[in-house]
Amino acid sequence: EETMDLVQRTKYYLEYMDDEEALAKLEDVVYWRDLELEAATGTSKENWRKWNTDGGKIDYQLTEEGIEIYNLGEGLGGIYTRNFTLKPSTEYQLIVKLLGQDMKTDMEVAVTSISGTSTQMRENIFLKDDQVEIYVINFTTTSDIQQEGQRIVFNHPGGTKGCCITKYIMLKKVKDEKK
């Protein structure tokens, strides 16, 4: 995981080496996944977990475009990242780059915590077919979370043959803890 983080940072640096503002953002990155890069290297599979409600059949696969999330069932299912650390009462920005393929209903992107308030952020996203879109979502963590128990969740409602391809995820701190 540390090696992939270094590779992703190097790729980002090479893409933006002439843009001081973009490079300054690297300091505040908390969680980062370039899933196209990870798919190309085959390193992302063990970084994801999945869950299903009754009737859900969520699954995913690595493709050259990123991680393809699909649900062959009728119930809700989700995949989520390994746990990482967010600070309480702190403003963050989640940036996700997604591609929809035949999605007839909203996907949901959330940041959750295993301690304190469960849902830190939740956003419904309607994906247009074959169109890559970048979503930028700002949120502030609650004061009751404990560090090392947060994760990003992609929920697929089921009942459609469509899928979501996640190409890129970046979660960065915007402002330090509120006093």
Side-chain angles (χ1 to χ4, degrees):
E1 188 148 338
E2 290 175 17
T3 302
M4 272 316 294
D5 184 59
L6 182 59
V7 169
Q8 290 174 116
R9 286 178 186 273
T10 302
K11 180 183 176 207
Y12 186 88
Y13 176 80
L14 291 172
E15 287 178 15
Y16 296 102
M17 67 181 156
D18 294 329
D19 185 343
E20 287 183 33
E21 187 175 317
L23 291 176
K25 293 177 184 179
L26 279 176
E27 285 184 36
D28 297 321
V29 172
V30 175
Y31 185 87
W32 185 357
R33 289 291 174 265
D34 181 332
L35 292 156
E36 291 175 280
L37 177 63
E38 290 190 21
T41 59
T43 58
S44 186
K45 186 73 172 170
E46 67 278 353
N47 290 327
W48 295 92
R49 309 288 185 265
K50 55 186 174 179
W51 67 272
N52 287 291
T53 60
D54 287 341
K57 291 185 180 175
I58 193 83
D59 214 342
Y60 61 93
Q61 65 181 356
L62 292 169
T63 70
E64 62 186 31
E65 293 186 88
I67 190 164
E68 181 180 318
I69 305 165
Y70 53 93
N71 186 345
L72 301 176
E74 295 297 317
L76 180 68
I79 69 163
Y80 57 95
T81 63
R82 288 182 174 199
N83 291 348
F84 53 85
T85 296
L86 298 179
K87 293 180 180 180
S89 304
T90 302
E91 187 177 347
Y92 291 93
Q93 183 175 72
L94 176 66
I95 303 166
V96 291
K97 185 176 179 183
L98 305 171
L99 169 65
Q101 293 186 329
D102 202 26
M103 286 296 295
K104 304 292 187 223
T105 185
D106 291 353
M107 287 284 298
E108 182 181 85
V109 177
V111 175
T112 64
S113 180
I114 60 173
S115 66
T117 303
S118 172
T119 303
Q120 296 295 305
M121 181 281 299
R122 178 176 296 167
E123 187 82 21
N124 286 332
I125 296 173
F126 182 77
L127 298 169
K128 298 175 186 146
D129 281 346
D130 300 320
Q131 191 170 338
V132 175
E133 296 187 55
I134 297 173
Y135 297 89
V136 179
I137 306 160
N138 286 14
F139 67 97
T140 301
T141 54
T142 57
S143 62
D144 61 350
I145 64 171
Q146 295 174 9
Q147 295 184 27
E148 297 184 21
Q150 292 73 51
R151 54 193 172 206
I152 300 168
V153 182
F154 293 90
N155 291 322
H156 189 300
T160 178
K161 294 179 184 177
C163 70
C164 167
I165 298 174
T166 304
K167 298 173 142 314
Y168 180 85
I169 303 166
M170 180 187 281
L171 181 61
K172 61 182 188 150
K173 183 174 63 169
V174 177
K175 291 183 184 172
D176 285 326
E177 295 178 44
K178 294 181 179 179
K179 303 288 181 204

